Amino acid sequence: MHWFIRFLKNWTLPVAMTLGIAAYFIAVRVPFLKSHGDEVMTAISVVQPVLIFLMLFITFCKINLSQLRLRSWHLGLLLFQTACFLLLASVLMCSRGEESRVAIEGTMLCLICPTATAGAVVTARLGGDAAGLTTYTILVNTLVAVLVPLVAPLVHPHPDLGFVSSFFLIMGKVFPMLICPLFAAMLLKLLAPKVVAFLTAQKNLAFYLWAVALALALAVTTRSLVHSEVAVGEILWIGLGSLMACVVQFAFGRFWGRKHGESIAAAQSLGQKNTVFAIWMGYTFFTPVTAVAGGFYSIWHNVYNSWQLYRAEHHRED
């Protein structure tokens, strides 16, 4: 039994990802679940935000407000994301060809997409600056709320979405899930410090909540990829573009963070993405096909995180 628990501890993320993917293929072969697919998706859409809220709430219980301040590496990452997004937007505005358009739009989404809400959990487990990543998450969400409504209509015109409506759409989508857990954690610290002490003593609780949320996210991602009506060649290009975006962002984040003494938090801030939000942006500002890029990115960055966590666990054991 001990070896099994140790295996789950070392390989939590790959197990969660495998279970999520397998759950979809099992569900479509179970008559009851298949006939109630819409109800299952509705339940997942309710459970996922609750898990993310609890995960962030527990993480924020470990962070003091005084720690949420600007770091020297924040500006460089914000400029990098902005420059990459604008560069690809310029390519699309100057290009008349349609063959690679969707793949480039998908790569744009992966580059501008804000940091994952689970980023602080992984960063803390890797020994990085979770508070610095949390601050960056707030900054980059603000950047996205301004930049995407300004640029997306130039690349992919949408008559029903102006700057103001797009701005408030994005703010309403991401900020409640960031700010509400933070305020709840700060309030609990004032009213019930013993409860906070108990929660923070549960060392891996936030991580395991994320593992459950990840399994659900991979099940939804698998469903969207299977039901996609995009040609196989186009899907491969979108997958390749998202993979390149993942590699480049983790590499630059680590390079830039090392210059400022915080390679872990900087790499996670830039490389670990809120892929559910990327998928939503694809549907809202581009096309459902573009949204597939977010699903692929979810696989790439979680595979890399699994390897990082495995390596970190073995380093601690040694």
Side-chain angles (χ1 to χ4, degrees):
M1 191 65 181
H2 177 72
W3 71 267
F4 182 69
I5 294 173
R6 183 174 178 178
F7 172 81
L8 288 178
K9 184 179 179 182
N10 288 338
W11 297 97
T12 302
L13 296 195
V15 169
M17 293 170 67
T18 303
L19 287 176
I21 295 169
Y24 167 77
F25 290 108
I26 292 171
V28 296
R29 284 165 176 76
V30 176
F32 175 79
L33 292 175
K34 187 175 181 180
S35 61
H36 292 79
D38 291 340
E39 290 85 346
V40 172
M41 291 302 298
T42 301
I44 291 175
S45 68
V46 173
V47 172
Q48 269 188 315
V50 172
L51 288 172
I52 292 171
F53 180 95
L54 292 173
M55 175 190 68
L56 286 175
F57 171 73
I58 294 168
T59 303
F60 290 153
C61 282
K62 302 176 183 179
I63 295 175
N64 294 320
L65 279 176
S66 60
Q67 295 176 297
L68 299 181
R69 51 184 171 75
L70 291 173
R71 305 302 200 263
S72 58
W73 48 270
H74 284 161
L75 180 59
L77 298 193
L78 290 171
L79 290 174
F80 179 81
Q81 284 194 254
T82 302
C84 290
F85 184 68
L86 292 178
L87 176 63
L88 289 185
S90 300
V91 170
L92 286 177
M93 285 187 283
C94 296
S95 173
R96 296 181 181 179
E98 295 294 326
E99 295 81 6
S100 59
R101 189 172 192 86
V102 173
I104 296 175
E105 287 179 353
T107 307
M108 282 176 61
L109 280 182
C110 295
L111 288 166
I112 197 59
C113 183
T115 307
T117 48
V121 177
V122 179
T123 299
R125 197 168 173 93
L126 291 172
D129 180 10
L133 180 139
T134 301
T135 305
Y136 186 80
T137 303
I138 296 170
L139 292 172
V140 74
N141 274 286
T142 306
L143 172 69
V144 170
V146 175
L147 193 60
V148 171
L150 284 174
V151 177
L154 301 176
V155 175
H156 199 104
H158 199 304
D160 299 327
L161 287 176
F163 173 78
V164 175
S165 59
S166 299
F167 175 82
F168 283 108
L169 262 179
I170 294 175
M171 294 287 278
K173 189 77 176 176
V174 294
F175 269 83
M177 288 306 296
L178 278 174
I179 303 302
C180 291
L182 178 60
F183 281 149
M186 296 304 115
L187 185 62
L188 192 66
K189 283 185 177 183
L190 292 174
L191 301 179
K194 290 185 178 179
V195 176
V196 172
F198 172 78
L199 290 173
T200 54
Q202 313 310 307
K203 194 172 181 182
N204 296 316
L205 181 57
F207 178 72
Y208 292 127
L209 285 173
W210 178 51
V212 177
L214 175 61
L216 293 175
L218 261 294
V220 174
T221 296
T222 303
R223 181 178 183 270
S224 66
L225 290 174
V226 170
H227 286 267
S228 173
E229 297 180 356
V230 189
V232 174
E234 197 165 22
I235 286 182
L236 290 176
W237 278 113
I238 294 171
L240 180 60
S242 64
L243 176 60
M244 290 174 61
C246 185
V247 171
V248 166
Q249 289 182 109
F250 270 113
F252 182 82
R254 192 165 296 280
F255 162 77
W256 187 256
R258 192 176 291 117
K259 286 179 171 291
H260 298 269
E262 191 49 69
S263 60
I264 294 173
Q268 296 304 127
S269 294
L270 199 57
Q272 189 174 346
K273 299 295 190 181
N274 184 348
T275 53
V276 174
F277 183 62
I279 293 169
W280 174 81
M281 281 199 297
Y283 276 102
T284 304
F285 297 102
F286 296 95
T287 65
V289 179
T290 307
V292 173
F296 274 116
Y297 199 100
S298 176
I299 297 170
W300 310 141
H301 79 165
N302 282 307
V303 167
Y304 181 65
N305 279 337
S306 299
W307 175 75
Q308 288 192 103
L309 291 166
Y310 173 78
R311 189 179 62 172
E313 193 66 36
H314 274 255
H315 180 73
R316 280 193 288 269
E317 290 177 359
D318 295 339

